[in-house]
Amino acid sequence: DPVLAFTTLFAGVGSMPDPAAIRRQMMRRSVLDGVLTQLGALRGVASAADMRAVDAHLEHLRALEREIA
């Protein structure tokens, strides 16, 4: 059925995104995703010992995020 195929392939195209769905998607993102760029800049400046401490904190935060989710 061509109409069914078209409807299935293009479902949702051109429609406005649901604000609640966007909000849910944003809440699922890691809080750490927002600092990845700054973390890259820090890696070039901080000492190895400082980076080990930062990495330990980041791992702990990731574990907390997984526990909460």
Side-chain angles (χ1 to χ4, degrees):
D1 179 19
V3 173
L4 179 61
F6 181 86
T7 304
T8 303
L9 285 173
F10 297 104
V13 174
S15 64
M16 295 298 294
D18 178 23
I22 293 171
R23 195 174 313 110
R24 281 191 305 274
Q25 182 180 16
M26 293 299 291
M27 293 298 290
R28 286 187 198 120
R29 291 184 62 209
S30 170
V31 71
L32 300 176
D33 291 341
V35 299
L36 290 179
T37 303
Q38 293 87 355
L39 182 61
L42 180 63
R43 288 193 189 281
V45 178
S47 70
D50 288 339
M51 286 314 303
R52 282 192 298 274
V54 168
D55 287 337
H57 287 296
L58 294 175
E59 288 175 21
H60 183 69
L61 288 172
R62 287 270 188 216
L64 288 172
E65 285 181 336
R66 283 191 299 272
E67 187 177 319
I68 291 169

